[in-house]
Amino acid sequence: MAEQPYKAVLLFGAPGVGKGTQGKILGVIPGFHHVSTGEIFRALDKNSELGKRVMSFSSHGELVPNDITLQVWAEHMASQVDAGKYRLDKDILLLDGLPRNIEQANLLDGYIDPMRVIHLAASDEDAMVERLRRRAIKEKRADDANENLIRRRWDIYRAETQPVLDHYPSDIITEIDAIGTPAEVLQRILHDLVPMLSEQFGNAFDTTEAATKL
Ligand code: ADP
């Protein structure tokens, strides 16, 4: 369990909707710290027992079991805190890819203080599938290469992940249109998050600390 809850903004949305792209861009803004469960899993040693077990689910488009997911994520967070990369008293965690079902949302309640939920919404499933196909070529991701696997991830999203939105109070959820260029979508997200960031830090931003991040 965390010593104090991680102040968090949840990036929420279907596969291919751009959570990772936006999370990475937002994560370089001083005061934010981006953590993606998909990235944590892909960084595991593929020859380790844990790495093999995770791959046995993710390479089929299935969710990794909840206990493994929460444990791996919590250990990653603790290492980020120990390394001084995530400052418990200051930074806002941008959480990308967690929670993905109701049980994960319940487990996560013990760790985070959810400040906002950014729901990246895209009505055009075909456009998202096309984005993932292009990503498969660029990033050599096995789970993006096959259309059946992509559709399977969308089905799981609809059945298990979408209901998670009801777990959070509606007044902290913002729905953002995910169709557009990365800069356009970023502008929409910043419109929502900048006032929150200003409120959190006020004029107390330490510019030397900020500079070290860039
Ligand atoms: P996408 O959003 O395109 O599905 P991610 O990089 O977020 O891609 O996740 C890749 C894979 O990692 C998922 O398909 C799933 O197998 C696994 N994964 C990521 N986050 C979770 C989670 N919270 N719970 C279970 N499995 C997860």
Side-chain angles (χ1 to χ4, degrees), residues 5-53:
Y6 305 133
K7 285 197 198 75
V9 169
L10 307 185
L11 295 174
F12 195 87
V17 87
K19 298 185 296 291
T21 302
Q22 296 298 331
K24 276 188 207 126
I25 301 172
L26 291 164
V28 296
I29 297 176
F32 281 140
H33 183 78
H34 175 230
V35 167
S36 145
T37 44
E39 271 177 26
I40 296 173
F41 287 149
R42 281 189 290 281
L44 292 173
D45 176 357
K46 293 192 177 45
N47 295 315
S48 67
E49 282 311 308
L50 178 63
K52 281 187 210 158
R53 192 150 156 68

Side-chain angles (χ1 to χ4, degrees), residues 13-16 19 36-39 41-42 57-59 61-66 69 96-100 104 132 135 141 143-144 153:
K19 298 185 296 291
S36 145
T37 44
E39 271 177 26
F41 287 149
R42 281 189 290 281
F57 296 96
S58 61
S59 64
E62 304 294 331
L63 293 185
V64 176
N66 296 334
T69 300
D96 162 3
L98 187 74
R100 263 170 144 107
Q104 290 185 5
L132 291 175
R135 181 169 80 182
R141 270 183 59 169
D143 61 340
D144 284 347
R153 273 154 58 216

Side-chain angles (χ1 to χ4, degrees), residues 9 11 21-35 85-87 90-94 182-183 185-198 200-201 205-207 209-214:
V9 169
L11 295 174
T21 302
Q22 296 298 331
K24 276 188 207 126
I25 301 172
L26 291 164
V28 296
I29 297 176
F32 281 140
H33 183 78
H34 175 230
V35 167
K85 290 187 181 156
Y86 175 74
R87 300 164 306 169
K90 293 185 180 147
D91 294 328
I92 296 171
L93 177 65
L94 287 170
V185 178
L186 178 67
Q187 190 173 38
R188 293 171 201 148
I189 297 176
L190 287 175
H191 182 76
D192 191 65
L193 291 187
V194 170
M196 184 205 72
L197 204 57
S198 307
Q200 164 84 1
F201 288 96
F205 226 100
D206 180 335
T207 44
E209 276 180 39
T212 57
K213 186 164 186 192
L214 301 172

